[in-house]
Every structure is written in structure tokens, then in C-alpha cells.
Amino acid sequence: MRSGCETVLCMDVETEARTGNPPPPRDGLDLDALRPGHLAAASGALLALVVLGYLYLTEVGPFPGEARLAEAMRSGLPQGANLAANLMSYLGDPLIAGVLLVLLIAGAWEERGRTTAALVAGAAGVLLLSKLLKALFGPTQLVAPGINDNYPSGTTAFVTSVLGLTAWLAWRGGHRTAAAGCALLVVAVGPGVIAIGEHYPSDVLAGYATGGAWLLAVLAVAARFLCGTAKRSAVRLAGRPEPPRGR
């Protein structure tokens, strides 16, 4: 039996063969425009920046003005902004992050199907990557000995990967307001965890890079395997010669 994705793509192949024109875009997940190789290269470059940042912190010291910036943000934060900053930090709490992830996965499944939901779930794997990096790097010179590993910021990485992917999917689905809301949370989480004293700017920059690297890796894997496999299967089902596999 054909899967839903194969059926849709098979119909598109048959339409193109019959009319000579490419079919109109559909509402389902379409990763054809993505280039897996480019995404993987960008992901690797971001991770390289994380490593280089840590080497700079250990061999040279804090980034210029980093400590002063963090102190200024912490001391000059109004009461209302302090509450908002604390709310941002709660996104990294395991329970809250778990509930948020379940809601996003359910919404993605309802809106776009199980493949999209699987992508959102995969984006949460950045938590494992950030924990691995923390264990490898340990605390930087900015924190006292014995303090928990601070580099990179796991909260920033999680929000960047999961809500960044959600924002991208929402934008592609025409949900501009939802996309803007998710993007706003991604932008706000970094300054938030700095303002309440959880992290320094270098931790946050590394968190953004880690989250972005994982997000790009998830999209690269999806574009390389999910979409390509379904499309080749649809071409075979439609009775046309299978095109050569691209890199």
C-alpha cells in the first residue's frame, strides 16, 4: 500500500507527466528546496564556532566587555523586565520544556502530519548535544570553581532549536503571527538568562550556535532521507524511470 506521502507525490508525478508542467505546491511538508549538503556544512561551521569560542575563553579569557555587559544587564533591569527574564529561564526547566514540547509536537501533527511532528521531536535532541558539550568543556573562567558547567547555555540551545524550527514551519504554513511569536521567544531567551544571572554572553552565543547547528542538522537529515526516499518511491509507483540521486 502507498503511504500518504507517496500517494501525494505520485499524484504530482502523474500530473507533471500528463501536463508537462510542475504541480502546484501543496500544504504538506516540502523539503525539496533545501540542500542537505549546504545545511550540514553550515551546521558544522556553527559547532566549530562553539569550540573556537571555548578555546578563546580558556586560552585568552572572557570576551572583551563581556563581564561588564552582564553586570549592567543584571543591575539595570526594571522589575517588569526581571519577571519576563525569569519566565524566559523557565523554558529550560525540564518539566516546562517537556510540556511545551508535547504541545508543539501535537500541534505539528494536527497541522502538518506525523513527519513534521517527528521533526519537532528531533529538534529537542539538542538537549543531549548541549549536555555533551557542557561535560566536555566544563565551567569557563567567568564562573567560580564548583559551579555547574555553564558553556553553552542549554536553555538557549533548546529554545533556538525547537522554537526556531517551529517558527520556520509556521512561516511556511502561512501562520505569520505564530512564526513571529516563536522567533521573539528565541531572540528574548538569551538576554533573559543573562539578565537573571544564569549565564554570561559567551554562554548564550554558544547556546544560539549550538541550537542553530542542531536545527540545521535535523533539516539536513530530513531533506536527505525523508523527502528523497518518498519522492523516489512515488516515481517508481507512477511507472517513470527513477532520476539519479543527488547529493
Side-chain angles (χ1 to χ4, degrees):
M1 294 180 63
R2 300 178 183 179
S3 68
C5 184
E6 289 172 346
T7 301
V8 169
L9 288 171
C10 188
M11 291 171 60
D12 287 348
V13 171
E14 292 170 347
T15 300
E16 184 176 358
R18 190 169 56 250
T19 64
N21 298 317
R26 298 182 180 273
D27 293 336
L29 185 65
D30 179 14
L31 302 176
D32 281 346
L34 301 181
R35 297 292 182 265
H38 296 170
L39 293 173
S43 175
L46 287 175
L47 282 180
L49 288 177
V50 175
V51 175
L52 290 175
Y54 181 76
L55 292 177
Y56 182 95
L57 291 171
T58 54
E59 300 297 328
V60 179
F63 294 161
E66 178 178 8
R68 290 194 300 272
L69 174 61
E71 181 59 32
M73 293 179 65
R74 294 165 188 170
S75 60
L77 199 66
Q79 182 62 31
N82 184 67
L83 176 60
N86 276 283
L87 290 175
M88 291 295 101
S89 71
Y90 290 151
L91 293 175
D93 178 84
L95 178 60
I96 294 177
V99 171
L100 175 63
L101 183 62
V102 169
L103 292 175
L104 291 176
I105 291 174
W109 192 311
E110 178 71 20
E111 177 70 19
R112 306 290 291 274
R114 62 184 180 185
T115 301
T116 304
L119 284 182
V120 176
V126 72
L127 290 173
L128 299 177
L129 176 60
S130 63
K131 287 184 179 298
L132 174 62
L133 293 176
K134 284 175 180 284
L136 291 174
F137 294 147
T140 63
Q141 297 181 20
L142 287 166
V143 299
I147 300 297
N148 291 336
D149 300 335
N150 61 299
Y151 185 95
S153 167
T155 300
T156 306
F158 173 77
V159 172
T160 300
S161 180
V162 174
L163 291 185
L165 176 63
T166 304
W168 181 75
L169 292 170
W171 183 269
R172 286 170 61 91
H175 304 293
R176 302 294 192 255
T177 303
C182 291
L184 180 61
L185 289 175
V186 172
V187 172
V189 67
V193 295
I194 295 173
I196 64 172
E198 282 192 357
H199 286 285
Y200 283 89
S202 56
D203 307 335
V204 166
L205 291 175
Y208 279 126
T210 302
W214 186 265
L215 169 57
L216 293 175
V218 168
L219 289 177
V221 170
R224 176 65 181 87
F225 295 104
L226 297 182
C227 187
T229 300
K231 190 167 186 177
R232 287 191 296 271
S233 178
V235 170
R236 289 195 299 269
L237 289 170
R240 294 177 58 187
E242 182 176 346
R245 300 185 182 186
R247 290 288 179 185

